[in-house]
mmCIF file of all heavy atoms in Angstrom:
data_model
loop_
_atom_site.group_PDB
_atom_site.id
_atom_site.type_symbol
_atom_site.label_atom_id
_atom_site.label_comp_id
_atom_site.label_asym_id
_atom_site.label_seq_id
_atom_site.Cartn_x
_atom_site.Cartn_y
_atom_site.Cartn_z
ATOM 1 N N ASP X 9 11.431 3.308 -5.105
ATOM 2 C CA ASP X 9 12.548 2.492 -5.603
ATOM 3 C C ASP X 9 12.947 1.363 -4.667
ATOM 4 O O ASP X 9 13.268 0.252 -5.111
ATOM 5 C CB ASP X 9 13.763 3.387 -5.875
ATOM 6 C CG ASP X 9 13.610 4.209 -7.143
ATOM 7 O OD1 ASP X 9 12.702 3.903 -7.943
ATOM 8 O OD2 ASP X 9 14.401 5.152 -7.328
ATOM 9 N N SER X 10 12.947 1.612 -3.375
ATOM 10 C CA SER X 10 13.465 0.616 -2.443
ATOM 11 C C SER X 10 12.550 -0.601 -2.293
ATOM 12 O O SER X 10 12.975 -1.622 -1.744
ATOM 13 C CB SER X 10 13.703 1.242 -1.071
ATOM 14 O OG SER X 10 12.475 1.569 -0.445
ATOM 15 N N VAL X 11 11.308 -0.517 -2.779
ATOM 16 C CA VAL X 11 10.390 -1.642 -2.639
ATOM 17 C C VAL X 11 10.085 -2.318 -3.973
ATOM 18 O O VAL X 11 9.389 -3.334 -4.002
ATOM 19 C CB VAL X 11 9.061 -1.216 -1.958
ATOM 20 C CG1 VAL X 11 9.343 -0.490 -0.655
ATOM 21 C CG2 VAL X 11 8.202 -0.386 -2.880
ATOM 22 N N LYS X 12 10.607 -1.782 -5.061
ATOM 23 C CA LYS X 12 10.358 -2.382 -6.370
ATOM 24 C C LYS X 12 10.854 -3.825 -6.401
ATOM 25 O O LYS X 12 11.956 -4.124 -5.949
ATOM 26 C CB LYS X 12 11.050 -1.571 -7.466
ATOM 27 C CG LYS X 12 10.370 -0.252 -7.782
ATOM 28 C CD LYS X 12 11.114 0.498 -8.886
ATOM 29 C CE LYS X 12 10.427 1.815 -9.205
ATOM 30 N NZ LYS X 12 11.165 2.598 -10.223
ATOM 31 N N GLY X 13 10.014 -4.697 -6.912
ATOM 32 C CA GLY X 13 10.362 -6.106 -6.981
ATOM 33 C C GLY X 13 10.052 -6.873 -5.714
ATOM 34 O O GLY X 13 10.124 -8.107 -5.699
ATOM 35 N N ARG X 14 9.714 -6.160 -4.629
ATOM 36 C CA ARG X 14 9.402 -6.831 -3.358
ATOM 37 C C ARG X 14 7.943 -6.625 -2.939
ATOM 38 O O ARG X 14 7.336 -7.516 -2.352
ATOM 39 C CB ARG X 14 10.309 -6.310 -2.244
ATOM 40 C CG ARG X 14 11.787 -6.534 -2.492
ATOM 41 C CD ARG X 14 12.619 -6.202 -1.248
ATOM 42 N NE ARG X 14 12.508 -4.790 -0.872
ATOM 43 C CZ ARG X 14 12.101 -4.381 0.326
ATOM 44 N NH1 ARG X 14 11.753 -5.248 1.263
ATOM 45 N NH2 ARG X 14 12.038 -3.068 0.597
ATOM 46 N N PHE X 15 7.410 -5.455 -3.231
ATOM 47 C CA PHE X 15 6.041 -5.121 -2.846
ATOM 48 C C PHE X 15 5.135 -5.083 -4.080
ATOM 49 O O PHE X 15 5.577 -4.694 -5.169
ATOM 50 C CB PHE X 15 5.979 -3.744 -2.186
ATOM 51 C CG PHE X 15 6.614 -3.660 -0.826
ATOM 52 C CD1 PHE X 15 7.393 -4.680 -0.304
ATOM 53 C CD2 PHE X 15 6.433 -2.529 -0.043
ATOM 54 C CE1 PHE X 15 7.976 -4.590 0.948
ATOM 55 C CE2 PHE X 15 6.999 -2.403 1.209
ATOM 56 C CZ PHE X 15 7.781 -3.438 1.703
ATOM 57 N N THR X 16 3.888 -5.470 -3.889
ATOM 58 C CA THR X 16 2.901 -5.418 -4.967
ATOM 59 C C THR X 16 1.602 -4.834 -4.440
ATOM 60 O O THR X 16 1.047 -5.336 -3.448
ATOM 61 C CB THR X 16 2.630 -6.816 -5.540
ATOM 62 O OG1 THR X 16 3.858 -7.393 -6.003
ATOM 63 C CG2 THR X 16 1.650 -6.734 -6.695
ATOM 64 N N ILE X 17 1.111 -3.793 -5.102
ATOM 65 C CA ILE X 17 -0.175 -3.201 -4.748
ATOM 66 C C ILE X 17 -1.232 -3.742 -5.705
ATOM 67 O O ILE X 17 -0.972 -3.907 -6.908
ATOM 68 C CB ILE X 17 -0.126 -1.659 -4.793
ATOM 69 C CG1 ILE X 17 -1.412 -1.053 -4.234
ATOM 70 C CG2 ILE X 17 0.175 -1.142 -6.192
ATOM 71 C CD1 ILE X 17 -1.340 0.471 -4.042
ATOM 72 N N SER X 18 -2.403 -4.043 -5.159
ATOM 73 C CA SER X 18 -3.478 -4.560 -5.993
ATOM 74 C C SER X 18 -4.815 -4.147 -5.385
ATOM 75 O O SER X 18 -4.870 -3.694 -4.234
ATOM 76 C CB SER X 18 -3.396 -6.080 -6.126
ATOM 77 O OG SER X 18 -3.544 -6.692 -4.855
ATOM 78 N N GLU X 19 -5.882 -4.315 -6.150
ATOM 79 C CA GLU X 19 -7.195 -3.959 -5.640
ATOM 80 C C GLU X 19 -8.225 -5.000 -6.050
ATOM 81 O O GLU X 19 -8.078 -5.671 -7.073
ATOM 82 C CB GLU X 19 -7.624 -2.577 -6.147
ATOM 83 C CG GLU X 19 -7.758 -2.457 -7.645
ATOM 84 C CD GLU X 19 -8.095 -1.048 -8.090
ATOM 85 O OE1 GLU X 19 -8.063 -0.113 -7.266
ATOM 86 O OE2 GLU X 19 -8.398 -0.874 -9.282
ATOM 87 N N ASP X 20 -9.222 -5.143 -5.222
ATOM 88 C CA ASP X 20 -10.333 -6.040 -5.479
ATOM 89 C C ASP X 20 -11.598 -5.184 -5.437
ATOM 90 O O ASP X 20 -12.086 -4.861 -4.360
ATOM 91 C CB ASP X 20 -10.371 -7.151 -4.428
ATOM 92 C CG ASP X 20 -11.456 -8.172 -4.696
ATOM 93 O OD1 ASP X 20 -12.465 -7.834 -5.372
ATOM 94 O OD2 ASP X 20 -11.322 -9.311 -4.226
ATOM 95 N N ASN X 21 -12.094 -4.823 -6.600
ATOM 96 C CA ASN X 21 -13.261 -3.935 -6.658
ATOM 97 C C ASN X 21 -14.491 -4.564 -6.018
ATOM 98 O O ASN X 21 -15.304 -3.879 -5.400
ATOM 99 C CB ASN X 21 -13.554 -3.543 -8.104
ATOM 100 C CG ASN X 21 -12.522 -2.590 -8.672
ATOM 101 O OD1 ASN X 21 -11.835 -1.891 -7.927
ATOM 102 N ND2 ASN X 21 -12.394 -2.578 -9.981
ATOM 103 N N ALA X 22 -14.621 -5.865 -6.159
ATOM 104 C CA ALA X 22 -15.793 -6.543 -5.595
ATOM 105 C C ALA X 22 -15.789 -6.475 -4.066
ATOM 106 O O ALA X 22 -16.849 -6.429 -3.434
ATOM 107 C CB ALA X 22 -15.834 -7.992 -6.064
ATOM 108 N N GLN X 23 -14.589 -6.482 -3.472
ATOM 109 C CA GLN X 23 -14.459 -6.444 -2.020
ATOM 110 C C GLN X 23 -14.190 -5.031 -1.502
ATOM 111 O O GLN X 23 -14.071 -4.846 -0.288
ATOM 112 C CB GLN X 23 -13.317 -7.366 -1.572
ATOM 113 C CG GLN X 23 -13.525 -8.827 -1.904
ATOM 114 C CD GLN X 23 -14.687 -9.420 -1.147
ATOM 115 O OE1 GLN X 23 -14.950 -9.076 0.014
ATOM 116 N NE2 GLN X 23 -15.440 -10.305 -1.800
ATOM 117 N N ASN X 24 -14.107 -4.048 -2.403
ATOM 118 C CA ASN X 24 -13.758 -2.663 -2.006
ATOM 119 C C ASN X 24 -12.514 -2.655 -1.126
ATOM 120 O O ASN X 24 -12.479 -2.020 -0.061
ATOM 121 C CB ASN X 24 -14.921 -2.002 -1.270
ATOM 122 C CG ASN X 24 -16.097 -1.749 -2.174
ATOM 123 O OD1 ASN X 24 -15.963 -1.714 -3.387
ATOM 124 N ND2 ASN X 24 -17.265 -1.592 -1.588
ATOM 125 N N THR X 25 -11.498 -3.366 -1.575
ATOM 126 C CA THR X 25 -10.291 -3.520 -0.764
ATOM 127 C C THR X 25 -9.048 -3.348 -1.632
ATOM 128 O O THR X 25 -9.019 -3.794 -2.781
ATOM 129 C CB THR X 25 -10.263 -4.902 -0.091
ATOM 130 O OG1 THR X 25 -11.428 -5.057 0.714
ATOM 131 C CG2 THR X 25 -9.031 -5.066 0.787
ATOM 132 N N VAL X 26 -8.065 -2.704 -1.063
ATOM 133 C CA VAL X 26 -6.757 -2.562 -1.700
ATOM 134 C C VAL X 26 -5.743 -3.292 -0.837
ATOM 135 O O VAL X 26 -5.812 -3.244 0.400
ATOM 136 C CB VAL X 26 -6.366 -1.085 -1.850
ATOM 137 C CG1 VAL X 26 -4.959 -0.947 -2.418
ATOM 138 C CG2 VAL X 26 -7.363 -0.366 -2.748
ATOM 139 N N TYR X 27 -4.807 -3.962 -1.489
ATOM 140 C CA TYR X 27 -3.829 -4.776 -0.784
ATOM 141 C C TYR X 27 -2.413 -4.274 -1.053
ATOM 142 O O TYR X 27 -2.139 -3.664 -2.090
ATOM 143 C CB TYR X 27 -3.927 -6.227 -1.232
ATOM 144 C CG TYR X 27 -5.282 -6.852 -1.032
ATOM 145 C CD1 TYR X 27 -6.188 -6.944 -2.079
ATOM 146 C CD2 TYR X 27 -5.653 -7.345 0.218
ATOM 147 C CE1 TYR X 27 -7.429 -7.516 -1.897
ATOM 148 C CE2 TYR X 27 -6.897 -7.920 0.406
ATOM 149 C CZ TYR X 27 -7.774 -7.999 -0.650
ATOM 150 O OH TYR X 27 -9.017 -8.564 -0.458
ATOM 151 N N LEU X 28 -1.532 -4.582 -0.120
ATOM 152 C CA LEU X 28 -0.102 -4.393 -0.330
ATOM 153 C C LEU X 28 0.590 -5.685 0.098
ATOM 154 O O LEU X 28 0.681 -5.974 1.293
ATOM 155 C CB LEU X 28 0.449 -3.205 0.460
ATOM 156 C CG LEU X 28 1.926 -2.887 0.188
ATOM 157 C CD1 LEU X 28 2.104 -2.374 -1.250
ATOM 158 C CD2 LEU X 28 2.462 -1.854 1.178
ATOM 159 N N GLN X 29 1.014 -6.462 -0.873
ATOM 160 C CA GLN X 29 1.768 -7.680 -0.597
ATOM 161 C C GLN X 29 3.234 -7.301 -0.441
ATOM 162 O O GLN X 29 3.821 -6.715 -1.355
ATOM 163 C CB GLN X 29 1.596 -8.685 -1.733
ATOM 164 C CG GLN X 29 2.388 -9.967 -1.557
ATOM 165 C CD GLN X 29 1.911 -10.806 -0.381
ATOM 166 O OE1 GLN X 29 0.713 -10.993 -0.195
ATOM 167 N NE2 GLN X 29 2.849 -11.315 0.412
ATOM 168 N N MET X 30 3.797 -7.640 0.692
ATOM 169 C CA MET X 30 5.185 -7.268 0.989
ATOM 170 C C MET X 30 6.004 -8.527 1.196
ATOM 171 O O MET X 30 5.737 -9.306 2.122
ATOM 172 C CB MET X 30 5.239 -6.381 2.242
ATOM 173 C CG MET X 30 4.351 -5.146 2.163
ATOM 174 S SD MET X 30 4.547 -4.042 3.569
ATOM 175 C CE MET X 30 3.939 -5.084 4.887
ATOM 176 N N ASN X 31 6.967 -8.742 0.330
ATOM 177 C CA ASN X 31 7.849 -9.908 0.408
ATOM 178 C C ASN X 31 9.286 -9.460 0.674
ATOM 179 O O ASN X 31 9.618 -8.280 0.495
ATOM 180 C CB ASN X 31 7.790 -10.699 -0.899
ATOM 181 C CG ASN X 31 6.405 -11.235 -1.197
ATOM 182 O OD1 ASN X 31 5.634 -11.568 -0.299
ATOM 183 N ND2 ASN X 31 6.076 -11.310 -2.476
ATOM 184 N N SER X 32 10.109 -10.400 1.078
ATOM 185 C CA SER X 32 11.535 -10.131 1.337
ATOM 186 C C SER X 32 11.696 -8.899 2.223
ATOM 187 O O SER X 32 12.497 -7.997 1.925
ATOM 188 C CB SER X 32 12.286 -9.940 0.013
ATOM 189 O OG SER X 32 12.153 -11.075 -0.811
ATOM 190 N N LEU X 33 10.949 -8.863 3.297
ATOM 191 C CA LEU X 33 10.956 -7.688 4.166
ATOM 192 C C LEU X 33 12.308 -7.478 4.831
ATOM 193 O O LEU X 33 13.018 -8.445 5.164
ATOM 194 C CB LEU X 33 9.859 -7.810 5.218
ATOM 195 C CG LEU X 33 8.453 -7.503 4.678
ATOM 196 C CD1 LEU X 33 7.386 -8.072 5.594
ATOM 197 C CD2 LEU X 33 8.270 -6.010 4.505
ATOM 198 N N LYS X 34 12.645 -6.210 4.998
ATOM 199 C CA LYS X 34 13.915 -5.810 5.596
ATOM 200 C C LYS X 34 13.639 -4.974 6.853
ATOM 201 O O LYS X 34 12.578 -4.360 6.968
ATOM 202 C CB LYS X 34 14.716 -4.960 4.599
ATOM 203 C CG LYS X 34 14.975 -5.638 3.267
ATOM 204 C CD LYS X 34 15.672 -4.694 2.309
ATOM 205 C CE LYS X 34 15.905 -5.344 0.954
ATOM 206 N NZ LYS X 34 16.584 -4.418 0.008
ATOM 207 N N PRO X 35 14.594 -4.908 7.761
ATOM 208 C CA PRO X 35 14.390 -4.080 8.961
ATOM 209 C C PRO X 35 14.033 -2.630 8.626
ATOM 210 O O PRO X 35 13.243 -2.007 9.351
ATOM 211 C CB PRO X 35 15.734 -4.176 9.677
ATOM 212 C CG PRO X 35 16.262 -5.518 9.282
ATOM 213 C CD PRO X 35 15.838 -5.695 7.850
ATOM 214 N N GLU X 36 14.577 -2.124 7.530
ATOM 215 C CA GLU X 36 14.290 -0.739 7.149
ATOM 216 C C GLU X 36 12.871 -0.545 6.627
ATOM 217 O O GLU X 36 12.456 0.594 6.369
ATOM 218 C CB GLU X 36 15.299 -0.231 6.112
ATOM 219 C CG GLU X 36 15.484 -1.135 4.918
ATOM 220 C CD GLU X 36 16.696 -2.055 5.074
ATOM 221 O OE1 GLU X 36 16.892 -2.631 6.180
ATOM 222 O OE2 GLU X 36 17.438 -2.217 4.074
ATOM 223 N N ASP X 37 12.112 -1.619 6.470
ATOM 224 C CA ASP X 37 10.701 -1.506 6.106
ATOM 225 C C ASP X 37 9.829 -1.255 7.332
ATOM 226 O O ASP X 37 8.617 -1.023 7.193
ATOM 227 C CB ASP X 37 10.217 -2.774 5.404
ATOM 228 C CG ASP X 37 10.896 -3.008 4.068
ATOM 229 O OD1 ASP X 37 11.056 -2.036 3.307
ATOM 230 O OD2 ASP X 37 11.255 -4.171 3.783
ATOM 231 N N THR X 38 10.418 -1.313 8.499
ATOM 232 C CA THR X 38 9.667 -1.079 9.735
ATOM 233 C C THR X 38 9.092 0.330 9.750
ATOM 234 O O THR X 38 9.817 1.312 9.567
ATOM 235 C CB THR X 38 10.576 -1.275 10.963
ATOM 236 O OG1 THR X 38 10.981 -2.650 11.022
ATOM 237 C CG2 THR X 38 9.859 -0.904 12.247
ATOM 238 N N ALA X 39 7.780 0.423 9.935
ATOM 239 C CA ALA X 39 7.094 1.711 9.901
ATOM 240 C C ALA X 39 5.616 1.493 10.182
ATOM 241 O O ALA X 39 5.134 0.344 10.217
ATOM 242 C CB ALA X 39 7.255 2.371 8.539
ATOM 243 N N VAL X 40 4.906 2.591 10.355
ATOM 244 C CA VAL X 40 3.446 2.550 10.330
ATOM 245 C C VAL X 40 3.034 2.763 8.881
ATOM 246 O O VAL X 40 3.486 3.720 8.234
ATOM 247 C CB VAL X 40 2.822 3.632 11.232
ATOM 248 C CG1 VAL X 40 1.306 3.580 11.132
ATOM 249 C CG2 VAL X 40 3.257 3.439 12.674
ATOM 250 N N TYR X 41 2.207 1.867 8.374
ATOM 251 C CA TYR X 41 1.760 1.924 6.995
ATOM 252 C C TYR X 41 0.331 2.477 6.949
ATOM 253 O O TYR X 41 -0.555 1.999 7.678
ATOM 254 C CB TYR X 41 1.827 0.538 6.360
ATOM 255 C CG TYR X 41 3.238 0.135 6.005
ATOM 256 C CD1 TYR X 41 4.160 -0.189 6.995
ATOM 257 C CD2 TYR X 41 3.664 0.086 4.677
ATOM 258 C CE1 TYR X 41 5.464 -0.529 6.676
ATOM 259 C CE2 TYR X 41 4.962 -0.264 4.348
ATOM 260 C CZ TYR X 41 5.856 -0.568 5.352
ATOM 261 O OH TYR X 41 7.154 -0.908 5.035
ATOM 262 N N TYR X 42 0.137 3.458 6.065
ATOM 263 C CA TYR X 42 -1.151 4.143 5.943
ATOM 264 C C TYR X 42 -1.723 3.949 4.537
ATOM 265 O O TYR X 42 -0.996 4.030 3.539
ATOM 266 C CB TYR X 42 -0.993 5.643 6.182
ATOM 267 C CG TYR X 42 -0.519 6.011 7.564
ATOM 268 C CD1 TYR X 42 0.837 6.131 7.847
ATOM 269 C CD2 TYR X 42 -1.434 6.264 8.583
ATOM 270 C CE1 TYR X 42 1.273 6.481 9.109
ATOM 271 C CE2 TYR X 42 -1.009 6.620 9.850
ATOM 272 C CZ TYR X 42 0.343 6.728 10.105
ATOM 273 O OH TYR X 42 0.773 7.080 11.356
ATOM 274 N N CYS X 43 -2.995 3.746 4.489
ATOM 275 C CA CYS X 43 -3.726 3.698 3.235
ATOM 276 C C CYS X 43 -4.249 5.098 2.930
ATOM 277 O O CYS X 43 -4.627 5.836 3.848
ATOM 278 C CB CYS X 43 -4.888 2.709 3.385
ATOM 279 S SG CYS X 43 -5.851 2.442 1.905
ATOM 280 N N TYR X 44 -4.254 5.455 1.643
ATOM 281 C CA TYR X 44 -4.709 6.777 1.231
ATOM 282 C C TYR X 44 -5.566 6.635 -0.021
ATOM 283 O O TYR X 44 -5.217 5.885 -0.941
ATOM 284 C CB TYR X 44 -3.514 7.683 0.942
ATOM 285 C CG TYR X 44 -3.885 9.054 0.419
ATOM 286 C CD1 TYR X 44 -4.331 10.033 1.298
ATOM 287 C CD2 TYR X 44 -3.786 9.364 -0.930
ATOM 288 C CE1 TYR X 44 -4.673 11.292 0.838
ATOM 289 C CE2 TYR X 44 -4.130 10.616 -1.398
ATOM 290 C CZ TYR X 44 -4.565 11.579 -0.499
ATOM 291 O OH TYR X 44 -4.907 12.825 -0.956
ATOM 292 N N ALA X 45 -6.677 7.348 -0.038
ATOM 293 C CA ALA X 45 -7.566 7.362 -1.194
ATOM 294 C C ALA X 45 -7.674 8.779 -1.732
ATOM 295 O O ALA X 45 -7.936 9.718 -0.977
ATOM 296 C CB ALA X 45 -8.958 6.852 -0.813
ATOM 297 N N LEU X 46 -7.463 8.934 -3.030
ATOM 298 C CA LEU X 46 -7.603 10.230 -3.692
ATOM 299 C C LEU X 46 -8.910 10.245 -4.459
ATOM 300 O O LEU X 46 -9.105 9.443 -5.371
ATOM 301 C CB LEU X 46 -6.436 10.482 -4.639
ATOM 302 C CG LEU X 46 -6.511 11.783 -5.442
ATOM 303 C CD1 LEU X 46 -6.445 12.983 -4.504
ATOM 304 C CD2 LEU X 46 -5.401 11.848 -6.471
ATOM 305 N N LEU X 47 -9.798 11.133 -4.025
ATOM 306 C CA LEU X 47 -11.063 11.301 -4.723
ATOM 307 C C LEU X 47 -11.034 12.651 -5.456
ATOM 308 O O LEU X 47 -10.012 13.312 -5.472
ATOM 309 C CB LEU X 47 -12.221 11.257 -3.724
ATOM 310 C CG LEU X 47 -12.383 9.922 -2.991
ATOM 311 C CD1 LEU X 47 -11.592 9.898 -1.690
ATOM 312 C CD2 LEU X 47 -13.843 9.632 -2.720
ATOM 313 N N ILE X 48 -12.126 13.029 -6.050
ATOM 314 C CA ILE X 48 -12.175 14.309 -6.743
ATOM 315 C C ILE X 48 -12.293 15.419 -5.699
ATOM 316 O O ILE X 48 -13.285 15.551 -5.021
ATOM 317 C CB ILE X 48 -13.355 14.355 -7.725
ATOM 318 C CG1 ILE X 48 -13.183 13.270 -8.788
ATOM 319 C CG2 ILE X 48 -13.452 15.741 -8.366
ATOM 320 C CD1 ILE X 48 -14.341 13.158 -9.745
ATOM 321 N N GLY X 49 -11.229 16.200 -5.558
ATOM 322 C CA GLY X 49 -11.262 17.350 -4.669
ATOM 323 C C GLY X 49 -10.744 17.122 -3.270
ATOM 324 O O GLY X 49 -10.505 18.077 -2.528
ATOM 325 N N PHE X 50 -10.567 15.885 -2.856
ATOM 326 C CA PHE X 50 -10.055 15.638 -1.504
ATOM 327 C C PHE X 50 -9.489 14.234 -1.401
ATOM 328 O O PHE X 50 -9.676 13.394 -2.284
ATOM 329 C CB PHE X 50 -11.151 15.842 -0.455
ATOM 330 C CG PHE X 50 -12.268 14.833 -0.533
ATOM 331 C CD1 PHE X 50 -12.308 13.741 0.331
ATOM 332 C CD2 PHE X 50 -13.291 14.961 -1.464
ATOM 333 C CE1 PHE X 50 -13.335 12.819 0.267
ATOM 334 C CE2 PHE X 50 -14.322 14.042 -1.540
ATOM 335 C CZ PHE X 50 -14.338 12.971 -0.668
ATOM 336 N N GLY X 51 -8.775 14.007 -0.279
ATOM 337 C CA GLY X 51 -8.199 12.693 -0.027
ATOM 338 C C GLY X 51 -8.546 12.222 1.366
ATOM 339 O O GLY X 51 -8.918 13.015 2.235
ATOM 340 N N CYS X 52 -8.422 10.920 1.595
ATOM 341 C CA CYS X 52 -8.735 10.324 2.895
ATOM 342 C C CYS X 52 -7.596 9.424 3.336
ATOM 343 O O CYS X 52 -7.011 8.728 2.509
ATOM 344 C CB CYS X 52 -10.012 9.497 2.811
ATOM 345 S SG CYS X 52 -11.500 10.441 2.564
ATOM 346 N N TRP X 53 -7.346 9.429 4.636
ATOM 347 C CA TRP X 53 -6.310 8.581 5.227
ATOM 348 C C TRP X 53 -6.942 7.558 6.153
ATOM 349 O O TRP X 53 -7.940 7.821 6.816
ATOM 350 C CB TRP X 53 -5.340 9.422 6.060
ATOM 351 C CG TRP X 53 -4.456 10.330 5.284
ATOM 352 C CD1 TRP X 53 -4.655 11.650 5.036
ATOM 353 C CD2 TRP X 53 -3.205 9.976 4.672
ATOM 354 N NE1 TRP X 53 -3.613 12.155 4.297
ATOM 355 C CE2 TRP X 53 -2.708 11.165 4.061
ATOM 356 C CE3 TRP X 53 -2.447 8.815 4.576
ATOM 357 C CZ2 TRP X 53 -1.491 11.197 3.367
ATOM 358 C CZ3 TRP X 53 -1.252 8.843 3.892
ATOM 359 C CH2 TRP X 53 -0.778 10.022 3.294
#
């Protein structure tokens, strides 16, 4: 909820890349950001 309207997640299949566009950043957005992939039976960080 706190990032709705400010952040956008997208993917580029050709580049095998996922993006997170973050706009109107606030001090409370300060953190370590991790990417996660869910496959069949397991996940990766």
Side-chain angles (χ1 to χ4, degrees):
D9 285 346
S10 69
V11 308
K12 286 180 180 177
R14 300 189 297 123
F15 291 11
T16 303
I17 188 171
S18 62
E19 62 184 9
D20 184 335
N21 289 337
Q23 298 294 324
N24 292 340
T25 302
V26 176
Y27 302 98
L28 185 68
Q29 178 66 45
M30 305 185 295
N31 298 328
S32 302
L33 283 161
K34 304 176 182 180
E36 51 263 44
D37 295 317
T38 295
V40 178
Y41 284 72
Y42 297 90
C43 183
Y44 176 78
L46 177 64
L47 296 91
I48 298 176
F50 66 100
C52 291
W53 290 97

